[in-house]
Amino acid sequence: MTVPTRTLTATTADAPAGSRSDQAGMRGFEVDFLPADFRVGQMRRITSAHLRLWDLKALCDTATLAVSELVTNAVRHCQGNPVGLRVTSSDDDLRIEVTDGNPTPARLREAGEAAENGRGLLLVAALAKEWGVSSDGRMTWCSLAIPEGTS
């Protein structure tokens, strides 16, 4: 089963919060899906394919790890709501946004040494130049710097 993606353009309606919608290098995609564990891998693959298409291979590992962690959190905490992944690229950064419909905001947690989960946002915070949660708590996002010399 394939998940349809929507290609985004640099218009005010499609630009992520806090971004400049008039940026010439803006590109992106958006996917909405019902929560299921297998969707995490699917979203990694979709993200990786778009990054290769955009000549951003240098960000593939970092971005797919961030997508994996944010989508996993959304699938686990969405309370049955649909989940959305939005990835946009400008000249300066790659922004990853994941919505889950749950008004309880994602937060950093301290995971015990033997804990098998609870470190996802710590990884995202370590990888990203910045990250945050929307004011309504329904979207968690991160921004990754695009390396110098990359398209």
Side-chain angles (χ1 to χ4, degrees), residues 1-79:
M1 176 182 189
T2 61
V3 176
T5 61
R6 289 186 295 276
T7 301
L8 305 177
T9 57
T11 65
T12 303
D14 288 335
S19 74
R20 295 188 327 228
S21 63
D22 60 346
Q23 241 172 344
M26 179 71 93
R27 57 199 161 193
F29 70 90
E30 184 171 340
V31 184
D32 297 311
F33 53 94
L34 294 176
D37 289 339
F38 77 92
R39 296 289 190 196
V40 176
Q42 198 173 39
M43 295 307 111
R44 281 193 308 260
R45 289 187 296 279
I46 290 169
T47 300
S48 181
H50 277 85
L51 293 177
R52 288 190 308 273
L53 179 69
W54 300 338
D55 291 326
L56 294 175
K57 293 176 198 157
L59 281 178
C60 272
D61 290 342
T62 303
T64 56
L65 179 55
V67 164
S68 183
E69 296 302 334
L70 294 177
V71 171
T72 296
N73 273 355
V75 166
R76 287 190 180 153
H77 301 289
C78 68
Q79 300 174 337

Side-chain angles (χ1 to χ4, degrees), residues 81-97:
N81 294 309
V83 175
L85 168 65
R86 179 186 190 126
V87 178
T88 55
S89 170
S90 67
D91 292 335
D92 301 326
D93 65 5
L94 183 77
R95 183 172 167 110
I96 300 165
E97 301 174 352

